[in-house]
Short mmCIF file of all heavy atoms in Angstrom, two decimals:
data_model
loop_
_atom_site.label_atom_id
_atom_site.label_comp_id
_atom_site.label_asym_id
_atom_site.label_seq_id
_atom_site.Cartn_x
_atom_site.Cartn_y
_atom_site.Cartn_z
N MET A 1098 0.83 -1.18 0.00
CA MET A 1098 -0.01 -0.01 -0.01
C MET A 1098 0.88 1.24 0.00
O MET A 1098 1.88 1.30 0.72
CB MET A 1098 -0.89 0.03 1.24
CG MET A 1098 -1.98 1.07 1.11
SD MET A 1098 -3.27 0.92 2.39
CE MET A 1098 -4.19 -0.47 1.81
N ASN A 1099 0.52 2.26 -0.74
CA ASN A 1099 1.33 3.42 -0.85
C ASN A 1099 1.08 4.36 0.35
O ASN A 1099 0.03 4.81 0.57
CB ASN A 1099 0.89 4.16 -2.16
CG ASN A 1099 1.74 5.37 -2.45
OD1 ASN A 1099 2.51 5.81 -1.62
ND2 ASN A 1099 1.56 5.92 -3.62
N ALA A 1100 2.20 4.62 1.02
CA ALA A 1100 2.09 5.46 2.23
C ALA A 1100 1.80 6.88 1.92
O ALA A 1100 1.35 7.65 2.76
CB ALA A 1100 3.43 5.36 2.99
N HIS A 1101 2.02 7.29 0.63
CA HIS A 1101 1.74 8.63 0.26
C HIS A 1101 0.36 8.84 -0.33
O HIS A 1101 0.03 9.90 -0.91
CB HIS A 1101 2.80 9.11 -0.77
CG HIS A 1101 4.14 8.99 -0.21
ND1 HIS A 1101 4.64 9.86 0.72
CD2 HIS A 1101 5.16 8.13 -0.46
CE1 HIS A 1101 5.92 9.61 1.03
NE2 HIS A 1101 6.18 8.46 0.32
N ARG A 1102 -0.48 7.83 -0.30
CA ARG A 1102 -1.83 7.92 -0.85
C ARG A 1102 -2.64 8.94 -0.09
O ARG A 1102 -2.65 8.91 1.14
CB ARG A 1102 -2.50 6.56 -0.76
CG ARG A 1102 -3.72 6.45 -1.61
CD ARG A 1102 -4.26 5.06 -1.48
NE ARG A 1102 -5.36 5.20 -0.54
CZ ARG A 1102 -6.04 4.14 -0.09
NH1 ARG A 1102 -5.71 2.97 -0.43
NH2 ARG A 1102 -7.06 4.31 0.73
N ARG A 1103 -3.31 9.83 -0.78
CA ARG A 1103 -4.17 10.80 -0.16
C ARG A 1103 -5.47 10.19 0.24
O ARG A 1103 -6.00 9.31 -0.50
CB ARG A 1103 -4.41 11.96 -1.08
CG ARG A 1103 -3.15 12.81 -1.36
CD ARG A 1103 -3.45 13.83 -2.37
NE ARG A 1103 -3.93 13.15 -3.60
CZ ARG A 1103 -4.42 13.82 -4.63
NH1 ARG A 1103 -4.53 15.11 -4.70
NH2 ARG A 1103 -4.82 13.18 -5.70
N GLU A 1104 -6.06 10.65 1.25
CA GLU A 1104 -7.37 10.14 1.73
C GLU A 1104 -8.39 10.46 0.63
O GLU A 1104 -8.41 11.55 0.10
CB GLU A 1104 -7.76 10.85 3.02
CG GLU A 1104 -9.01 10.23 3.65
CD GLU A 1104 -9.30 10.78 5.03
OE1 GLU A 1104 -8.33 11.20 5.73
OE2 GLU A 1104 -10.45 10.81 5.42
N GLY A 1105 -9.21 9.51 0.28
CA GLY A 1105 -10.25 9.68 -0.69
C GLY A 1105 -9.82 9.17 -2.09
O GLY A 1105 -10.61 9.17 -2.99
N ASP A 1106 -8.49 8.86 -2.27
CA ASP A 1106 -8.05 8.34 -3.56
C ASP A 1106 -8.70 6.98 -3.79
O ASP A 1106 -8.91 6.19 -2.86
CB ASP A 1106 -6.52 8.13 -3.57
CG ASP A 1106 -5.76 9.43 -3.72
OD1 ASP A 1106 -6.42 10.46 -3.95
OD2 ASP A 1106 -4.56 9.35 -3.61
N LEU A 1107 -9.09 6.72 -5.01
CA LEU A 1107 -9.62 5.40 -5.36
C LEU A 1107 -8.53 4.32 -5.24
O LEU A 1107 -7.37 4.58 -5.50
CB LEU A 1107 -10.12 5.42 -6.80
CG LEU A 1107 -11.29 6.27 -7.14
CD1 LEU A 1107 -11.55 6.31 -8.63
CD2 LEU A 1107 -12.55 5.78 -6.42
N MET A 1108 -8.94 3.16 -4.77
CA MET A 1108 -7.93 2.09 -4.66
C MET A 1108 -8.69 0.78 -4.84
O MET A 1108 -9.67 0.53 -4.18
CB MET A 1108 -7.24 2.16 -3.30
CG MET A 1108 -6.15 1.19 -3.20
SD MET A 1108 -4.75 1.69 -4.24
CE MET A 1108 -3.39 1.27 -3.15
N ALA A 1109 -8.20 -0.04 -5.71
CA ALA A 1109 -8.76 -1.35 -5.93
C ALA A 1109 -7.65 -2.35 -6.16
O ALA A 1109 -6.50 -2.01 -6.62
CB ALA A 1109 -9.71 -1.42 -7.20
N ARG A 1110 -7.87 -3.63 -5.83
CA ARG A 1110 -6.93 -4.68 -5.97
C ARG A 1110 -7.36 -5.53 -7.17
O ARG A 1110 -8.46 -5.97 -7.24
CB ARG A 1110 -6.88 -5.53 -4.70
CG ARG A 1110 -6.13 -6.82 -4.80
CD ARG A 1110 -4.65 -6.63 -4.85
NE ARG A 1110 -4.15 -6.05 -3.60
CZ ARG A 1110 -2.91 -5.71 -3.42
NH1 ARG A 1110 -2.01 -5.91 -4.35
NH2 ARG A 1110 -2.50 -5.25 -2.29
N LEU A 1111 -6.43 -5.76 -8.10
CA LEU A 1111 -6.66 -6.54 -9.30
C LEU A 1111 -5.97 -7.88 -9.17
O LEU A 1111 -4.75 -7.93 -8.85
CB LEU A 1111 -6.16 -5.76 -10.54
CG LEU A 1111 -6.22 -6.48 -11.87
CD1 LEU A 1111 -7.70 -6.84 -12.25
CD2 LEU A 1111 -5.62 -5.59 -12.94
N ARG A 1112 -6.69 -8.95 -9.38
CA ARG A 1112 -6.08 -10.31 -9.26
C ARG A 1112 -6.61 -11.18 -10.42
O ARG A 1112 -7.70 -10.99 -10.92
CB ARG A 1112 -6.54 -10.90 -7.95
CG ARG A 1112 -5.94 -10.27 -6.74
CD ARG A 1112 -6.20 -11.10 -5.46
NE ARG A 1112 -5.58 -10.51 -4.31
CZ ARG A 1112 -6.20 -9.93 -3.32
NH1 ARG A 1112 -7.47 -9.86 -3.32
NH2 ARG A 1112 -5.48 -9.45 -2.31
N VAL A 1113 -5.76 -12.19 -10.68
CA VAL A 1113 -6.15 -13.21 -11.65
C VAL A 1113 -5.89 -14.57 -10.97
O VAL A 1113 -4.77 -14.86 -10.58
CB VAL A 1113 -5.34 -13.12 -12.99
CG1 VAL A 1113 -5.72 -14.31 -13.92
CG2 VAL A 1113 -5.59 -11.81 -13.68
N ASP A 1114 -6.96 -15.37 -10.80
CA ASP A 1114 -6.79 -16.66 -10.22
C ASP A 1114 -6.21 -17.59 -11.31
O ASP A 1114 -6.88 -17.94 -12.26
CB ASP A 1114 -8.20 -17.20 -9.81
CG ASP A 1114 -8.17 -18.54 -9.16
OD1 ASP A 1114 -7.21 -19.35 -9.38
OD2 ASP A 1114 -9.17 -18.88 -8.45
N GLN A 1115 -4.97 -18.02 -11.05
CA GLN A 1115 -4.24 -18.82 -12.07
C GLN A 1115 -4.90 -20.22 -12.24
O GLN A 1115 -4.79 -20.81 -13.30
CB GLN A 1115 -2.80 -19.00 -11.63
CG GLN A 1115 -2.04 -17.68 -11.68
CD GLN A 1115 -2.00 -17.10 -13.09
OE1 GLN A 1115 -1.46 -17.72 -13.98
NE2 GLN A 1115 -2.50 -15.91 -13.25
N GLU A 1116 -5.57 -20.73 -11.24
CA GLU A 1116 -6.27 -22.01 -11.29
C GLU A 1116 -7.48 -21.89 -12.24
O GLU A 1116 -7.90 -22.84 -12.96
CB GLU A 1116 -6.60 -22.59 -9.95
CG GLU A 1116 -5.40 -22.87 -9.14
CD GLU A 1116 -4.48 -24.00 -9.74
OE1 GLU A 1116 -5.03 -24.98 -10.25
OE2 GLU A 1116 -3.30 -23.82 -9.71
N ALA A 1117 -8.18 -20.78 -12.13
CA ALA A 1117 -9.43 -20.61 -12.84
C ALA A 1117 -9.20 -20.12 -14.30
O ALA A 1117 -10.02 -20.28 -15.16
CB ALA A 1117 -10.35 -19.62 -12.13
N CYS A 1118 -8.02 -19.54 -14.56
CA CYS A 1118 -7.73 -18.95 -15.83
C CYS A 1118 -7.73 -20.02 -16.93
O CYS A 1118 -7.06 -21.09 -16.77
CB CYS A 1118 -6.37 -18.23 -15.83
SG CYS A 1118 -5.86 -17.48 -17.34
N VAL A 1119 -8.41 -19.78 -18.01
CA VAL A 1119 -8.47 -20.75 -19.12
C VAL A 1119 -7.52 -20.37 -20.27
O VAL A 1119 -7.56 -20.97 -21.30
CB VAL A 1119 -9.91 -20.96 -19.63
CG1 VAL A 1119 -10.81 -21.47 -18.58
CG2 VAL A 1119 -10.45 -19.65 -20.20
N ALA A 1120 -6.69 -19.35 -20.09
CA ALA A 1120 -5.70 -18.99 -21.00
C ALA A 1120 -6.23 -18.55 -22.38
O ALA A 1120 -5.65 -18.83 -23.37
CB ALA A 1120 -4.61 -20.01 -21.16
N SER A 1121 -7.33 -17.78 -22.33
CA SER A 1121 -7.93 -17.33 -23.58
C SER A 1121 -7.17 -16.13 -24.12
O SER A 1121 -7.25 -15.82 -25.29
CB SER A 1121 -9.40 -17.00 -23.34
OG SER A 1121 -9.51 -15.77 -22.61
N GLY A 1122 -6.51 -15.44 -23.24
CA GLY A 1122 -5.80 -14.21 -23.64
C GLY A 1122 -6.66 -12.98 -23.82
O GLY A 1122 -6.24 -11.91 -24.22
N LEU A 1123 -7.98 -13.13 -23.51
CA LEU A 1123 -8.87 -12.02 -23.64
C LEU A 1123 -8.49 -10.80 -22.79
O LEU A 1123 -8.56 -9.64 -23.25
CB LEU A 1123 -10.31 -12.50 -23.29
CG LEU A 1123 -11.41 -11.43 -23.48
CD1 LEU A 1123 -11.57 -11.10 -24.96
CD2 LEU A 1123 -12.71 -12.02 -22.92
N CYS A 1124 -8.05 -11.03 -21.59
CA CYS A 1124 -7.68 -9.91 -20.71
C CYS A 1124 -6.61 -9.04 -21.31
O CYS A 1124 -6.73 -7.86 -21.35
CB CYS A 1124 -7.32 -10.46 -19.29
SG CYS A 1124 -5.95 -11.57 -19.29
N ALA A 1125 -5.55 -9.67 -21.74
CA ALA A 1125 -4.43 -8.94 -22.34
C ALA A 1125 -4.82 -8.28 -23.70
O ALA A 1125 -4.32 -7.21 -24.01
CB ALA A 1125 -3.23 -9.85 -22.56
N ALA A 1126 -5.71 -8.95 -24.42
CA ALA A 1126 -6.17 -8.35 -25.69
C ALA A 1126 -7.06 -7.06 -25.39
O ALA A 1126 -6.94 -6.13 -26.13
CB ALA A 1126 -6.92 -9.40 -26.50
N MET A 1127 -7.85 -7.20 -24.39
CA MET A 1127 -8.77 -6.09 -24.11
C MET A 1127 -8.06 -4.89 -23.49
O MET A 1127 -8.31 -3.76 -23.84
CB MET A 1127 -9.90 -6.56 -23.15
CG MET A 1127 -10.98 -7.38 -23.71
SD MET A 1127 -12.19 -7.87 -22.50
CE MET A 1127 -13.08 -6.28 -22.23
N HIS A 1128 -7.11 -5.15 -22.57
CA HIS A 1128 -6.46 -4.06 -21.88
C HIS A 1128 -4.99 -4.45 -21.57
O HIS A 1128 -4.65 -4.81 -20.45
CB HIS A 1128 -7.19 -3.72 -20.56
CG HIS A 1128 -8.54 -3.12 -20.84
ND1 HIS A 1128 -8.72 -1.89 -21.35
CD2 HIS A 1128 -9.75 -3.66 -20.70
CE1 HIS A 1128 -9.99 -1.62 -21.50
NE2 HIS A 1128 -10.66 -2.69 -21.14
N PRO A 1129 -4.10 -4.36 -22.58
CA PRO A 1129 -2.73 -4.76 -22.39
C PRO A 1129 -1.97 -3.87 -21.38
O PRO A 1129 -0.92 -4.27 -20.86
CB PRO A 1129 -2.13 -4.61 -23.82
CG PRO A 1129 -3.02 -3.73 -24.53
CD PRO A 1129 -4.39 -3.95 -23.95
N ALA A 1130 -2.48 -2.72 -21.06
CA ALA A 1130 -1.84 -1.88 -20.02
C ALA A 1130 -2.04 -2.41 -18.61
O ALA A 1130 -1.32 -2.17 -17.74
CB ALA A 1130 -2.33 -0.42 -20.10
N LEU A 1131 -3.09 -3.26 -18.46
CA LEU A 1131 -3.48 -3.85 -17.13
C LEU A 1131 -3.10 -5.33 -17.03
O LEU A 1131 -2.90 -5.77 -15.94
CB LEU A 1131 -4.95 -3.67 -16.90
CG LEU A 1131 -5.47 -2.23 -16.85
CD1 LEU A 1131 -6.97 -2.24 -16.62
CD2 LEU A 1131 -4.78 -1.45 -15.68
N PHE A 1132 -3.04 -6.00 -18.13
CA PHE A 1132 -2.83 -7.49 -18.14
C PHE A 1132 -1.73 -7.90 -19.13
O PHE A 1132 -1.58 -7.28 -20.18
CB PHE A 1132 -4.11 -8.22 -18.49
CG PHE A 1132 -5.26 -7.98 -17.59
CD1 PHE A 1132 -6.14 -6.97 -17.82
CD2 PHE A 1132 -5.47 -8.78 -16.43
CE1 PHE A 1132 -7.18 -6.69 -16.97
CE2 PHE A 1132 -6.52 -8.53 -15.61
CZ PHE A 1132 -7.41 -7.51 -15.83
N ARG A 1133 -1.00 -8.92 -18.72
CA ARG A 1133 -0.01 -9.50 -19.61
C ARG A 1133 -0.23 -11.04 -19.48
O ARG A 1133 -0.91 -11.53 -18.57
CB ARG A 1133 1.37 -9.12 -19.19
CG ARG A 1133 1.82 -9.57 -17.79
CD ARG A 1133 3.21 -9.11 -17.48
NE ARG A 1133 3.40 -9.27 -16.01
CZ ARG A 1133 3.88 -8.34 -15.22
NH1 ARG A 1133 4.20 -7.17 -15.70
NH2 ARG A 1133 4.01 -8.57 -13.96
N LEU A 1134 0.42 -11.79 -20.36
CA LEU A 1134 0.28 -13.24 -20.37
C LEU A 1134 1.61 -13.88 -19.83
O LEU A 1134 2.69 -13.41 -20.16
CB LEU A 1134 -0.03 -13.76 -21.72
CG LEU A 1134 -1.32 -13.28 -22.40
CD1 LEU A 1134 -1.50 -13.88 -23.79
CD2 LEU A 1134 -2.52 -13.62 -21.50
N THR A 1135 1.45 -14.92 -19.04
CA THR A 1135 2.59 -15.68 -18.54
C THR A 1135 3.13 -16.53 -19.66
O THR A 1135 2.55 -16.63 -20.73
CB THR A 1135 2.23 -16.53 -17.32
OG1 THR A 1135 1.33 -17.55 -17.79
CG2 THR A 1135 1.62 -15.71 -16.23
N GLU A 1136 4.21 -17.25 -19.42
CA GLU A 1136 4.76 -18.14 -20.40
C GLU A 1136 3.74 -19.26 -20.76
O GLU A 1136 3.77 -19.83 -21.83
CB GLU A 1136 6.05 -18.77 -19.96
CG GLU A 1136 7.23 -17.78 -19.95
CD GLU A 1136 8.56 -18.42 -19.56
OE1 GLU A 1136 8.61 -19.67 -19.58
OE2 GLU A 1136 9.45 -17.65 -19.21
N GLU A 1137 2.90 -19.55 -19.79
CA GLU A 1137 1.92 -20.61 -19.98
C GLU A 1137 0.65 -20.07 -20.68
O GLU A 1137 -0.28 -20.83 -20.96
CB GLU A 1137 1.47 -21.24 -18.61
CG GLU A 1137 2.58 -21.94 -17.90
CD GLU A 1137 3.49 -20.98 -17.16
OE1 GLU A 1137 3.07 -19.88 -16.79
OE2 GLU A 1137 4.67 -21.40 -16.93
N GLY A 1138 0.61 -18.78 -20.94
CA GLY A 1138 -0.52 -18.19 -21.66
C GLY A 1138 -1.60 -17.75 -20.74
O GLY A 1138 -2.67 -17.35 -21.20
N ARG A 1139 -1.39 -17.79 -19.41
CA ARG A 1139 -2.39 -17.30 -18.48
C ARG A 1139 -2.22 -15.85 -18.23
O ARG A 1139 -1.12 -15.27 -18.23
CB ARG A 1139 -2.27 -18.14 -17.18
CG ARG A 1139 -2.50 -19.61 -17.31
CD ARG A 1139 -2.44 -20.33 -16.02
NE ARG A 1139 -2.38 -21.75 -16.14
CZ ARG A 1139 -3.42 -22.52 -16.38
NH1 ARG A 1139 -4.63 -21.99 -16.54
NH2 ARG A 1139 -3.25 -23.80 -16.49
N GLY A 1140 -3.34 -15.20 -17.95
CA GLY A 1140 -3.33 -13.77 -17.65
C GLY A 1140 -2.78 -13.49 -16.28
O GLY A 1140 -2.98 -14.28 -15.36
N GLU A 1141 -2.16 -12.35 -16.14
CA GLU A 1141 -1.75 -11.84 -14.84
C GLU A 1141 -1.74 -10.31 -14.89
O GLU A 1141 -1.60 -9.75 -15.94
CB GLU A 1141 -0.38 -12.37 -14.44
CG GLU A 1141 0.79 -11.82 -15.24
CD GLU A 1141 2.13 -12.34 -14.77
OE1 GLU A 1141 2.22 -13.20 -13.89
OE2 GLU A 1141 3.16 -11.84 -15.35
N PRO A 1142 -2.00 -9.69 -13.74
CA PRO A 1142 -2.00 -8.21 -13.69
C PRO A 1142 -0.63 -7.59 -13.95
O PRO A 1142 0.35 -8.22 -13.48
CB PRO A 1142 -2.50 -7.84 -12.29
CG PRO A 1142 -2.96 -9.09 -11.70
CD PRO A 1142 -2.32 -10.26 -12.45
N VAL A 1143 -0.57 -6.52 -14.64
CA VAL A 1143 0.66 -5.79 -14.82
C VAL A 1143 1.03 -5.16 -13.42
O VAL A 1143 2.15 -5.14 -13.03
CB VAL A 1143 0.56 -4.73 -15.88
CG1 VAL A 1143 1.77 -3.78 -15.92
CG2 VAL A 1143 0.42 -5.36 -17.29
N ARG A 1144 0.02 -4.69 -12.77
CA ARG A 1144 0.14 -4.21 -11.35
C ARG A 1144 -1.12 -4.54 -10.63
O ARG A 1144 -2.20 -4.58 -11.16
CB ARG A 1144 0.40 -2.68 -11.34
CG ARG A 1144 -0.74 -1.84 -11.98
CD ARG A 1144 -0.30 -0.34 -12.05
NE ARG A 1144 -1.42 0.40 -12.55
CZ ARG A 1144 -1.75 0.56 -13.81
NH1 ARG A 1144 -1.12 -0.15 -14.75
NH2 ARG A 1144 -2.80 1.25 -14.17
N GLY A 1145 -0.96 -4.80 -9.33
CA GLY A 1145 -2.09 -5.25 -8.52
C GLY A 1145 -2.94 -4.16 -7.92
O GLY A 1145 -4.14 -4.32 -7.75
N ASP A 1146 -2.36 -3.02 -7.69
CA ASP A 1146 -3.07 -1.85 -7.04
C ASP A 1146 -3.48 -0.91 -8.14
O ASP A 1146 -2.62 -0.39 -8.90
CB ASP A 1146 -2.29 -1.17 -6.03
CG ASP A 1146 -2.04 -2.07 -4.79
OD1 ASP A 1146 -2.92 -2.88 -4.47
OD2 ASP A 1146 -0.97 -1.92 -4.13
N LEU A 1147 -4.78 -0.58 -8.23
CA LEU A 1147 -5.26 0.41 -9.19
C LEU A 1147 -5.79 1.65 -8.45
O LEU A 1147 -6.53 1.49 -7.46
CB LEU A 1147 -6.35 -0.26 -10.03
CG LEU A 1147 -6.06 -1.51 -10.70
CD1 LEU A 1147 -7.26 -2.04 -11.52
CD2 LEU A 1147 -4.88 -1.32 -11.73
N THR A 1148 -5.39 2.83 -8.95
CA THR A 1148 -5.89 4.03 -8.28
C THR A 1148 -6.62 4.95 -9.26
O THR A 1148 -7.32 5.85 -8.90
CB THR A 1148 -4.72 4.81 -7.66
OG1 THR A 1148 -3.75 5.10 -8.68
CG2 THR A 1148 -4.11 4.07 -6.54
N ASP A 1149 -6.51 4.65 -10.58
CA ASP A 1149 -7.16 5.46 -11.58
C ASP A 1149 -8.55 4.91 -11.89
O ASP A 1149 -8.72 3.72 -12.07
CB ASP A 1149 -6.34 5.41 -12.82
CG ASP A 1149 -6.91 6.26 -13.95
OD1 ASP A 1149 -6.76 7.50 -13.92
OD2 ASP A 1149 -7.55 5.70 -14.84
N ALA A 1150 -9.56 5.77 -11.88
CA ALA A 1150 -10.95 5.36 -12.05
C ALA A 1150 -11.10 4.62 -13.43
O ALA A 1150 -11.84 3.66 -13.51
CB ALA A 1150 -11.89 6.53 -11.94
N ASP A 1151 -10.48 5.13 -14.45
CA ASP A 1151 -10.56 4.49 -15.77
C ASP A 1151 -9.97 3.06 -15.74
O ASP A 1151 -10.51 2.15 -16.37
CB ASP A 1151 -9.93 5.31 -16.87
CG ASP A 1151 -10.66 6.57 -17.16
OD1 ASP A 1151 -11.90 6.66 -16.92
OD2 ASP A 1151 -10.08 7.54 -17.67
N ASP A 1152 -8.82 2.93 -15.06
CA ASP A 1152 -8.24 1.58 -14.97
C ASP A 1152 -9.10 0.64 -14.19
O ASP A 1152 -9.29 -0.56 -14.58
CB ASP A 1152 -6.88 1.70 -14.27
CG ASP A 1152 -5.78 2.27 -15.16
OD1 ASP A 1152 -5.96 2.39 -16.38
OD2 ASP A 1152 -4.71 2.62 -14.61
N ILE A 1153 -9.73 1.09 -13.16
CA ILE A 1153 -10.63 0.31 -12.29
C ILE A 1153 -11.85 -0.14 -13.20
O ILE A 1153 -12.19 -1.30 -13.23
CB ILE A 1153 -11.04 0.99 -11.10
CG1 ILE A 1153 -9.84 1.19 -10.10
CG2 ILE A 1153 -12.19 0.23 -10.33
CD1 ILE A 1153 -10.09 2.14 -8.97
N GLU A 1154 -12.39 0.78 -13.92
CA GLU A 1154 -13.52 0.49 -14.79
C GLU A 1154 -13.10 -0.55 -15.87
O GLU A 1154 -13.83 -1.47 -16.16
CB GLU A 1154 -14.05 1.76 -15.43
CG GLU A 1154 -15.33 1.50 -16.25
CD GLU A 1154 -15.95 2.74 -16.81
OE1 GLU A 1154 -15.58 3.87 -16.40
OE2 GLU A 1154 -16.84 2.62 -17.71
N SER A 1155 -11.99 -0.30 -16.47
CA SER A 1155 -11.48 -1.27 -17.51
C SER A 1155 -11.26 -2.66 -16.92
O SER A 1155 -11.62 -3.70 -17.50
CB SER A 1155 -10.17 -0.72 -18.08
OG SER A 1155 -10.38 0.45 -18.77
N ALA A 1156 -10.70 -2.72 -15.73
CA ALA A 1156 -10.45 -4.04 -15.10
C ALA A 1156 -11.79 -4.71 -14.74
O ALA A 1156 -11.95 -5.94 -14.94
CB ALA A 1156 -9.64 -3.89 -13.80
N GLU A 1157 -12.78 -3.93 -14.35
CA GLU A 1157 -14.13 -4.46 -14.13
C GLU A 1157 -14.74 -5.00 -15.38
O GLU A 1157 -15.43 -6.05 -15.36
CB GLU A 1157 -15.00 -3.46 -13.41
CG GLU A 1157 -14.56 -3.21 -12.00
CD GLU A 1157 -15.28 -2.02 -11.33
OE1 GLU A 1157 -15.91 -1.18 -12.04
OE2 GLU A 1157 -15.28 -1.95 -10.09
N ASP A 1158 -14.48 -4.32 -16.52
CA ASP A 1158 -15.04 -4.79 -17.78
C ASP A 1158 -14.38 -6.14 -18.16
O ASP A 1158 -15.13 -7.05 -18.63
CB ASP A 1158 -14.68 -3.77 -18.91
CG ASP A 1158 -15.47 -2.49 -18.83
OD1 ASP A 1158 -16.53 -2.44 -18.10
OD2 ASP A 1158 -15.08 -1.50 -19.49
N VAL A 1159 -13.12 -6.23 -17.94
CA VAL A 1159 -12.42 -7.52 -18.22
C VAL A 1159 -12.99 -8.60 -17.32
O VAL A 1159 -13.23 -9.69 -17.78
CB VAL A 1159 -10.89 -7.40 -18.08
CG1 VAL A 1159 -10.26 -8.75 -18.19
CG2 VAL A 1159 -10.34 -6.42 -19.12
N ALA A 1160 -13.16 -8.31 -16.03
CA ALA A 1160 -13.65 -9.35 -15.13
C ALA A 1160 -15.02 -9.82 -15.56
O ALA A 1160 -15.29 -11.02 -15.47
CB ALA A 1160 -13.75 -8.73 -13.71
N ALA A 1161 -15.85 -8.91 -16.07
CA ALA A 1161 -17.21 -9.29 -16.54
C ALA A 1161 -17.14 -10.20 -17.76
O ALA A 1161 -18.05 -11.04 -17.98
CB ALA A 1161 -18.04 -8.06 -16.81
N CYS A 1162 -16.10 -10.13 -18.58
CA CYS A 1162 -15.97 -10.88 -19.83
C CYS A 1162 -15.13 -12.12 -19.71
O CYS A 1162 -15.10 -12.92 -20.62
CB CYS A 1162 -15.37 -9.94 -20.92
SG CYS A 1162 -16.41 -8.60 -21.34
N CYS A 1163 -14.37 -12.25 -18.65
CA CYS A 1163 -13.40 -13.33 -18.50
C CYS A 1163 -14.14 -14.67 -18.56
O CYS A 1163 -14.99 -14.97 -17.76
CB CYS A 1163 -12.67 -13.23 -17.16
SG CYS A 1163 -11.51 -14.53 -16.88
N PRO A 1164 -13.73 -15.54 -19.53
CA PRO A 1164 -14.48 -16.81 -19.70
C PRO A 1164 -14.23 -17.80 -18.53
O PRO A 1164 -15.10 -18.66 -18.30
CB PRO A 1164 -13.88 -17.42 -21.01
CG PRO A 1164 -12.66 -16.68 -21.28
CD PRO A 1164 -12.77 -15.37 -20.58
N GLY A 1165 -13.21 -17.64 -17.76
CA GLY A 1165 -12.93 -18.53 -16.64
C GLY A 1165 -13.35 -17.90 -15.32
O GLY A 1165 -13.13 -18.47 -14.25
N ALA A 1166 -13.85 -16.67 -15.39
CA ALA A 1166 -14.22 -15.88 -14.19
C ALA A 1166 -13.02 -15.82 -13.25
O ALA A 1166 -13.13 -15.84 -12.01
CB ALA A 1166 -15.42 -16.50 -13.47
N ALA A 1167 -11.80 -15.67 -13.86
CA ALA A 1167 -10.57 -15.67 -13.09
C ALA A 1167 -10.16 -14.32 -12.61
O ALA A 1167 -9.34 -14.14 -11.72
CB ALA A 1167 -9.44 -16.28 -13.89
N VAL A 1168 -10.70 -13.22 -13.28
CA VAL A 1168 -10.29 -11.86 -12.96
C VAL A 1168 -11.23 -11.29 -11.88
O VAL A 1168 -12.43 -11.39 -12.04
CB VAL A 1168 -10.32 -10.94 -14.22
CG1 VAL A 1168 -10.03 -9.52 -13.88
CG2 VAL A 1168 -9.34 -11.54 -15.28
N THR A 1169 -10.62 -10.76 -10.77
CA THR A 1169 -11.42 -10.06 -9.80
C THR A 1169 -10.87 -8.73 -9.49
O THR A 1169 -9.63 -8.47 -9.56
CB THR A 1169 -11.46 -10.87 -8.49
OG1 THR A 1169 -10.11 -11.10 -7.99
CG2 THR A 1169 -12.16 -12.21 -8.67
N VAL A 1170 -11.77 -7.80 -9.25
CA VAL A 1170 -11.45 -6.44 -8.82
C VAL A 1170 -12.14 -6.19 -7.53
O VAL A 1170 -13.36 -6.32 -7.42
CB VAL A 1170 -11.88 -5.37 -9.86
CG1 VAL A 1170 -11.47 -4.00 -9.46
CG2 VAL A 1170 -11.32 -5.74 -11.26
N SER A 1171 -11.37 -5.92 -6.48
CA SER A 1171 -11.97 -5.72 -5.19
C SER A 1171 -11.42 -4.48 -4.48
O SER A 1171 -10.35 -4.00 -4.84
CB SER A 1171 -11.79 -6.91 -4.30
OG SER A 1171 -10.40 -7.16 -4.12
N ASP A 1172 -12.13 -3.96 -3.47
CA ASP A 1172 -11.66 -2.89 -2.69
C ASP A 1172 -10.39 -3.31 -1.98
O ASP A 1172 -10.32 -4.51 -1.49
CB ASP A 1172 -12.65 -2.42 -1.64
CG ASP A 1172 -13.91 -1.81 -2.26
OD1 ASP A 1172 -13.79 -1.36 -3.40
OD2 ASP A 1172 -14.94 -1.76 -1.60
N SER A 1173 -9.42 -2.47 -1.89
CA SER A 1173 -8.21 -2.91 -1.22
C SER A 1173 -8.15 -2.61 0.25
O SER A 1173 -7.27 -2.98 0.95
CB SER A 1173 -6.97 -2.20 -1.88
OG SER A 1173 -7.04 -0.82 -1.69
N ASP A 1174 -9.20 -1.90 0.70
CA ASP A 1174 -9.25 -1.54 2.16
C ASP A 1174 -9.74 -2.77 3.00
O ASP A 1174 -10.37 -3.59 2.65
CB ASP A 1174 -10.14 -0.40 2.39
CG ASP A 1174 -9.64 0.87 1.70
OD1 ASP A 1174 -8.44 0.95 1.49
OD2 ASP A 1174 -10.44 1.78 1.47
#
């Protein structure tokens, strides 16, 4: 957690469940700034903590489309 975070800043945690991931590559195709693929072709976050509202919304869009329901976006508090 960023010690310099101002009160009221948006903060969300982005995760990809590697067991649930079906390696479709959809996450990285939809938002390559937020997701990359491992050597096994599974999605993983580029960064886990999101503070930008557009990034959070984009991550939520990916979570809604993920065929394995592997992507989650949650409050980090």
Side-chain angles (χ1 to χ4, degrees):
M1098 191 170 285
N1099 185 350
H1101 300 289
R1102 194 179 101 187
R1103 293 175 301 171
E1104 189 172 333
D1106 285 352
L1107 293 172
M1108 187 72 141
R1110 170 72 64 184
L1111 176 60
R1112 293 190 175 110
V1113 177
D1114 180 340
Q1115 295 297 300
E1116 296 297 318
C1118 180
V1119 298
S1121 72
L1123 183 65
C1124 56
M1127 285 180 71
H1128 294 289
L1131 297 178
F1132 298 91
R1133 62 182 166 229
L1134 299 179
T1135 66
E1136 288 183 17
E1137 296 81 24
R1139 297 183 193 279
E1141 68 179 6
V1143 171
R1144 60 188 184 281
D1146 292 329
L1147 303 178
T1148 56
D1149 181 77
D1151 289 337
D1152 286 347
I1153 294 169
E1154 184 176 349
S1155 294
E1157 289 171 341
D1158 289 344
V1159 172
C1162 295
C1163 178
V1168 176
T1169 57
V1170 182
S1171 60
D1172 292 338
S1173 64
D1174 295 337

